[in-house]
Amino acid sequence: MAKAKAAADVSLCKGCGLCAEACPVGAIERLKEINKKGYEIIGINEETCIGCGHCYTICPDYVFTISTAD
């Protein structure tokens, strides 16, 4: 069975951090990088991510997609 993973379009990220707070395994962290809109972006640890979708559900800016790797 393929494991689900989260992916982020950081160009849409506004750095609110809601996703990092919602992640039950701590796979999302704020990076010290700034996107073109001037916001601090997040990063996803793909090894830790369990694909639960909490980030997708809570994100107000539609940054995340959840997909399965074949």
Side-chain angles (χ1 to χ4, degrees), residues 8-15 34-42 61-64:
D9 180 351
V10 294
S11 68
L12 301 174
C13 185
K14 290 185 182 167
I34 306 296
N35 65 13
K36 291 182 181 180
K37 293 180 181 180
Y39 297 107
E40 184 180 43
I41 60 172
I42 52 89
D61 296 306
Y62 305 103
V63 170
F64 296 93

Side-chain angles (χ1 to χ4, degrees), residues 48-60:
T48 307
C49 178
I50 59 173
C52 66
H54 284 81
C55 55
Y56 175 85
T57 303
I58 200 161
C59 181

Side-chain angles (χ1 to χ4, degrees), residues 12-36:
L12 301 174
C13 185
K14 290 185 182 167
C16 68
L18 292 173
C19 56
E21 293 173 20
C23 182
V25 294
I28 301 172
E29 64 180 333
R30 290 177 182 227
L31 303 177
K32 302 293 183 213
E33 297 176 37
I34 306 296
N35 65 13
K36 291 182 181 180

